[in-house]
Amino acid sequence: MTGWTTSEMMTVAASRALADRATCFVGIGKPSTAANLARATHAPDLVLVYESGTIGAAPDRLPLSIGDGVLADTATSVVSVPEIFNYWLQPGRIDVGFLGAAQLDRFANINTTVIGPYDDPRVRLPGAGGAPEIAASCGEVVVVVSQSRRTFVDTVDFVTSVGFGRGPGDRERYGLRGRGPTQVITDLGVLRPDPETCELVLVAVHPGVEVQQAREATGWDLRVADDLVVTEEPTTRELEVLRAIEATAAPA
Amino acid sequence: MTGWTTSEMMTVAASRALADRATCFVGIGKPSTAANLARATHAPDLVLVYESGTIGAAPDRLPLSIGDGVLADTATSVVSVPEIFNYWLQPGRIDVGFLGAAQLDRFANINTTVIGPYDDPRVRLPGAGGAPEIAASCGEVVVVVSQSRRTFVDTVDFVTSVGFGRGPGDRERYGLRGRGPTQVITDLGVLRPDPETCELVLVAVHPGVEVQQAREATGWDLRVADDLVVTEEPTTRELEVLRAIEATAAPA
Amino acid sequence: MAELMSLPDAVASLVHDGDTVAVEGFTHLIPVAAGQEVIRQGRRDLTLVRMTPDIVYDQMIGAGCASKLIFSWGGNPGVGSLHRFRDAVQNSWPRPLAIEEHSHAGLANRYVAGASGLPFAVMRGYRGTDLPAHTDTIRSVVCPFTGEELTAVPALTPDVAVLHAQQADRAGNVQLWGITGVQKEVALASARVLFTVEEVVDALEPRPGAVVLPSWVVDAVAEVPGGAHPSYAHGYSDRDNDYYRSWDAISRDRDTFTAWLDREVLGTTGVTP
Amino acid sequence: MAELMSLPDAVASLVHDGDTVAVEGFTHLIPVAAGQEVIRQGRRDLTLVRMTPDIVYDQMIGAGCASKLIFSWGGNPGVGSLHRFRDAVQNSWPRPLAIEEHSHAGLANRYVAGASGLPFAVMRGYRGTDLPAHTDTIRSVVCPFTGEELTAVPALTPDVAVLHAQQADRAGNVQLWGITGVQKEVALASARVLFTVEEVVDALEPRPGAVVLPSWVVDAVAEVPGGAHPSYAHGYSDRDNDYYRSWDAISRDRDTFTAWLDREVLGTTGVTP
């Protein structure tokens, strides 16, 4: 099917990263849209966990905030914020964490804190939120972020959430028990960490995207997998469901 | 009024130790009877907290266990057992802790663990339960126990819950933030710690009790206050209410 | 995802010789039927963990299932002693029973640490008592900010939690209410989780004060109406205080206990007709 | 025991210049009306604590109430930046704002330690990030049993908690439900507790998922219907997402913000006729 946007392609690709029956710690925005798309298509028993304390939320419309009332109304269980972090995230019960990024580096470290020096920031960003512990404790992390030289930098200005630190062995050294980022899904394609070096490698481009575009949108010398594939384009059903979901979030 | 038992006198005296509006951490048995008597007489706004997690329970009959359903049905709030200890008892929010004892010594240390050596006990008792932290963290502790040489010993075989340790300064040394035992109420009278030495001193005898009886029922050389008083005997109302309360606990 | 199965199948698949087993329930919702099924299946060398060893552990200890007990209060609530527990500790009958003794606050915090994926918990407790001298799972830790010395207890992570609740739905989500005790912490601290429930329902209706554990943190659910007797299930049954009183006589003597065990546990299937 | 009083009286009696104030509510039940009353009363040099500084703190910071902010995520949820917060951090307007930055897990655990009467909390977090280099309230602690190194954060014990709930009864017992966030921990960690509520009722009817705080841990209750707007009160109002969007334009520019402040806050009594 044709007639889809790169943003839609990114969301669809992200939703495909979620297996059925998995438990997923969901941030608001694209991750939430992708998770709800997955639940409405190939993963009906996907368990959505939001940091507001809602476990097994099954919203019938797209939540507009992490603490949207629809999450509490439809959840299997609603717990306090300390409990969601201490009893549910910290022990490694959650399979997949979905994160965004303002800056991302070649080792998939994430910055959502500041652009420029911390004490004299060029841009002050919102900060950590739940991300550092999601990145540390989920079984794996999927990063969803638009690709550009501004975002994909050689070294992040501030490590808010650890991907692979400075390379192999760092996660173990820090005692981080999750496997870390396994996929970075962008509007251009998909990157995965090299099992040897932990450096992000382009493993897929979305239909119509040239490798050169991805290289130009990356602030380091981007490696490309020998077996680079082209992402399967969104199916009619995926697009219909996605658009229906997004319509529910339209401004009142 | 006449015609009351020493056990009733003890319970009435214990109930009088509870001020209205106080918060009271209640154990089952005599403490619970006394606390409910206080609530039914001079302290209608006494807040009863049970270690089962019930805060502000207002049972209409005597609970038969620490986890009696009537406590949950009538409580302002029911919380988990970890929460009752960590959020409610530990910070020192509870004014009065009510404790019993199998052995009690001159410094009001309590043993509910073993009689004889720990590794080869003559009698294995139930153990600590909530007592060590009640004794440590409540604003003050009231001990309710029948007085005999078997129970009132010079030194307890095992310190399950700290009264004043080996004397002045020990509570501070151990970082115990409550004031410790302020009264020991028995079937013979009332003992209070000497402000200087922390040793228990007989300050009151119940009507009809001779000081000599109290001395004979004590395993150390019991000091008697110069201004020893005689406990005011139970009023008709106290006895009527107490008997009505105890009737509700009669075996089915 | 929790599987709905019979109690014998659930115990057979989740409880093994040598396991550390937490049969919990704070006065309320004590899984006595499940404990008796463990006896019936002849499990041995169990390390039993429970804040308030109560009739259920008196029975399991007397039946010889346990080699160690981790606990904080071992009595027959409102009645007196647990005679089988005392006989095991004082006379090693039917076999020696090692004990590891804590306070309620300490044991509750050990479950909290286990549920939280932490190796230990910090608390104010035990200081000045004789417990640390006899229990090596009580140590101290210094606050890195104030320098204050506090008490540390290690996480408890049982091999299997055995718990009772009022309801489960057909997907295996479990709901319990009333006095909820340490049930959530024990379930989340344990490697495997077995729930007996009063009733399996089509849908769990939300209740004030309820704890709901999602199916994906539970392994097995067995429908056992009355499975908490002589303790109770809030909204389903009352505590059988006469039974607790009568247990004193049954358990006081080894022969009467053994006769009771043969007649009431080993001689039955546990499945009420 | 909580006293029922007007919002101006409650703020005047409980919130003082220089206080550490936690105005909490995780997306839900944010006490915006109370925050605006603090602005109206001209409080200064406050250390503001909040996991998610949101419009309420953008307003208080822009109005010059704060000299320090302790937080874990400072944005306009679903919209973008908090412009007054950014202007204060980047340009010290209207005055310099010191910041102490944590993660959600870290700040939540700091409240837990405060509520528990402990000087610190233990957690897994921050390791490998740049946060410890800039936040000196993040340290490490070693497990006395395993030797494992973990993260420690100090207790947060605000001078006053400012919170919103759906209901209080006339005795001052407070009930909130829906997403309960860190409300209980903040109330129990703070020296003084101010609640605004949607409604004062004769009796609190038990609700699924509700948190009930007894009157004796609350100082003041003020009935302020709609007091959480533009956030929401589950069962009473919906989140005003348009307001959050419109805040972006109002707050982006100092003059439009100042005009808004004069017109909507300083120029009103806050008491809706």
Side-chain angles (χ1 to χ4, degrees), chain D residues 16-28:
Chain D
H16 315 126
D17 288 352
D19 278 351
T20 295
V21 184
V23 180
E24 272 293 356
F26 200 84
T27 308
H28 178 216

Side-chain angles (χ1 to χ4, degrees), chain C residues 165-241:
Chain C
Q166 284 98 332
Q167 300 179 335
D169 64 19
R170 302 193 190 286
N173 299 299
V174 172
Q175 177 166 259
L176 54 103
W177 65 90
I179 286 165
T180 57
V182 286
Q183 265 82 328
K184 177 183 278 187
E185 287 73 18
V186 173
L188 296 180
S190 300
R192 304 186 292 276
V193 178
L194 187 168
F195 264 101
T196 55
V197 298
E198 290 293 321
E199 169 174 40
V200 174
V201 298
D202 292 328
L204 299 173
E205 161 207 336
R207 305 233 173 206
V211 165
V212 176
L213 285 164
S215 175
W216 53 276
V217 296
V218 177
D219 296 283
V221 171
E223 187 171 45
V224 185
H229 179 272
S231 103
Y232 71 106
H234 203 125
Y236 284 81
S237 60
D238 293 325
R239 189 169 186 270
D240 185 349
N241 297 297

Side-chain angles (χ1 to χ4, degrees), chain A residues 195-218:
Chain A
E196 303 303 314
T197 65
C198 298
E199 179 177 326
L200 290 173
V201 175
L202 184 72
V203 298
V205 287
H206 297 324
V209 175
E210 298 302 327
V211 168
Q212 191 50 29
Q213 287 174 259
R215 282 220 169 87
E216 281 161 9
T218 304

